[in-house]
Amino acid sequence: MDRQIVYPAQIPMDSDQLNAQRNAYVGMGHLAGMAYGQATVAASGFACAPGTGLARIMAPGSLIAPGVVDASSYGTLAAVPSTLVRQYVSRDPVTLDVPGAGAVHTVYVTPVTQDADDTVLPFYNAANPSVTYAGSDNSGATAPTVRQDLAQLGIGASVPAGAYPLWTVTVPAGASAITADMLTQAAGAPFYDTIPQLQAAKQDALGFTPVQQGGGPDQTGDKVSLGQDASYPGIMRVSVNGGDVGGLLSGTYGKSAPDYQMLGLYQQSTTGRPVAVFNNGTTTVYNGIANYTDVTGEASARQDADTAIQTNLTTAIGNQSDMNCTLSSDISNCVSGIYGKGTSDYQILGLYFQTSTGRPIAVFSNGTTNVFNGIANYTDVTTLQTNLTSFQTQQADTNSVFASGIASRVPTNAENDGVNAPITLFNYFVGDSTPWASANGVSFSLVKSAPGTGFNKVLNISTDGAGNLVVPDGSGRTSTYAPCSAAITSDTVSVTKIGDLVIQTFQASIANPNNGGAGCVSVTLPQALTQSIQFSKGNALGGTQGGTLWIPSVNVVPSSLTEVTIYADNLQDLNWTAAVTVQVLVIGS
């Protein structure tokens, strides 16, 4: 890497400072090329985290990318087109807003070189050194003061030319905030492991954990080779410095699946016998192994024992023969618990007579528990038959009485035919002397018609096509009742309906009646009519002016089925100008 040389009393030149920075810049670029390669693009930092709403925050980072030393002049230095790996930096966190939900966006970085921080610089004035020029030749013009290599971050549906992808942001439709699971590293993102990460990855790339050879207590530094025995697969064989020292004893060679692995084998001093050590899945077991002398001594003792056993066995066989004859005779008198049994039936395990009930008990297992099932005696069956015959006679008498009772009842539907449903219950409530019934799951009271002296009996209650209630009574008269409703929509407005008749009351204000004449105002009815207005009337509530109460005469004239005009005569004071409140009544249909 080049370094500038300057001397005492030398006139400083701008090129000295520029070349010093360029030399360091070039040296750093070649160092990056040695680490990453001359044509490699690499990114570091740029961590991506959710921000507020549909935004994410990008951490500072840098980008290594191939370029040239200077594509344009650098201050007073000429451009240098030599290739160089350059570093572009994003110094501060950057907030990027996602263009919208329901789409996939890519965060990318673009390497940009720009001259910035334009400033009006002081220049040396040869004519008057004590007074500096403002800008070159005292022109007052600004000039850039720094050449920046920037890593500019952006987001879009695709990656522009010259930019490199970093992160993919997948935002579901309707999302209003970015979450961590929406952020993934983009395909082709130029992130590489750092040097500490590469160091940690060496062991992973090795694929196994290495073991040091030698160096331990009572060990030499010889080279030890360990591998599978060529003649006996599954047995490990060892050589030291190329010399074979034989196979290792395996704790699993020839082991079947349910067997246990041998963990150790040692000679026990207290018993003088080898001990094999294994774990049975619960605890460690120390199992003694017999010596050869144990086997030969045992053989002699076993011979004596076998002779005694043979003598005892001959005697036992004679006794068993007699027992078998007796047992065979007994078995022939037994009942089988499985004779004729189907595959889904249960075997009878026992049969005994229970004294507490006086009945036989059959015992069997249903696969879960033992069942003790009582068996009926012959007398149980005959008693049941006698009781059943008596019950049938009694039931026939009851049925006859029940049929007579049914015949005297009010008939009803046998079933719900979709139009009529059967009456399932009919009662008389003593509390208020009201009959009621139930049908189709609904209970309802029936209207009484038992008038006192001077009143007529109601024969029927129905409604006509207009919704009026029609009630004929025992005198031959039929009365019709129209439906009535009332609504008070405010403190000054009410509407009452009786059949087609509508009664409306409301207030109106006549502001500034004509001086010397009559004032009027048109008012829309609270309830529009459809046929006619039969009656309209107004009553002045009065108005006050200068402490004087004025109550003029009022006349209400229908204008249409939706509007009336109110006239107030100025009879008392021809100069009256105050507002007058009028209460209006309109009756129509």
Side-chain angles (χ1 to χ4, degrees), residues 108-291:
Y108 56 83
V109 60
T110 305
V112 175
T113 299
Q114 64 181 24
D115 292 343
D117 292 351
D118 288 10
T119 305
V120 179
L121 298 172
F123 281 80
Y124 178 72
N125 182 356
N128 186 2
S130 63
V131 178
T132 59
Y133 281 159
S136 178
D137 296 328
N138 204 27
S139 63
T142 61
T145 60
V146 62
R147 176 158 289 183
Q148 298 175 330
D149 284 350
L150 301 177
Q152 289 188 346
L153 294 167
I155 185 170
S158 60
V159 180
Y164 304 97
L166 296 177
W167 297 94
T168 297
V169 185
T170 303
V171 186
S176 59
I178 299 297
T179 58
D181 59 345
M182 300 179 188
L183 307 175
T184 57
Q185 186 171 302
F191 290 111
Y192 290 89
D193 289 339
T194 63
I195 291 176
Q197 290 171 330
L198 292 172
Q199 177 66 28
K202 285 183 177 180
Q203 179 62 54
D204 298 335
L206 189 62
F208 60 89
T209 302
V211 178
Q212 179 179 340
Q213 299 188 46
D218 297 327
Q219 291 181 349
T220 66
D222 297 316
K223 177 182 178 181
V224 178
S225 299
L226 179 66
Q228 181 171 259
D229 194 298
S231 301
Y232 301 99
I235 298 296
M236 304 305 294
R237 199 171 188 88
V238 181
S239 67
V240 178
N241 291 334
D244 181 39
V245 296
L248 298 179
L249 183 62
S250 170
T252 61
Y253 188 80
K255 183 179 80 67
S256 300
D259 300 335
Y260 303 119
Q261 176 182 346
M262 194 65 68
L263 303 177
L265 183 67
Y266 66 92
Q267 181 73 15
Q268 191 175 54
S269 60
T270 56
T271 62
R273 295 182 177 86
V275 174
V277 184
F278 63 92
N279 189 286
N280 60 10
T282 303
T283 186
T284 300
V285 179
Y286 298 84
N287 191 45
I289 301 176
N291 291 323

